[in-house]
């Protein structure tokens, strides 16, 4: 799944390896942009591994943002959430 932030140009592509029981065996990303977008992509991939696709799809903006112990400005929140959008697209688009 690929998502981007049109305001600043950040982009993230998330790839998921899902095993037969629907669990995310591995998650990886590539992207470009600010430190916040790339850091949250890394955090999201770590949080996804070992969990089900349904759990990933159930993640909200707040559950991802709560994974860190600092507050983001509204503009930086958009950067942080690019990866969540990409991961949800990946989870909904299985390929062989």
């Amino acid at each position: 799944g690929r998502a981007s932030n049109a305001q600043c140009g950040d982009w993230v592509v998330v790839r998921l390896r899902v095993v037969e029981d629907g669990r995310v065996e591995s998650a990886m990303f590539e992207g470009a942009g600010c430190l916040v977008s790339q850091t949250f992509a890394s955090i999201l991939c770590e949080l996804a591994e070992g969990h089900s696709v349904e759990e990933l799809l159930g993640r909200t903006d707040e559950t991802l943002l709560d994974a860190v112990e600092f507050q983001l400005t509204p503009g930086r929140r958009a950067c942080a959430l690019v990866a969540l959008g990409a991961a949800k697209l990946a989870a909904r688009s299985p390929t062989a």
Side-chain angles (χ1 to χ4, degrees), residues 39-51:
T39 298
F40 272 82
S42 179
I43 290 168
L44 178 68
C45 287
E46 287 184 29
L47 292 173
E49 289 182 357
H51 295 275

Side-chain angles (χ1 to χ4, degrees), residues 7-18:
Q7 294 176 348
C8 63
D10 294 348
W11 62 270
V12 173
V13 173
V14 173
R15 291 184 177 84
L16 304 173
R17 182 182 314 265
V18 179

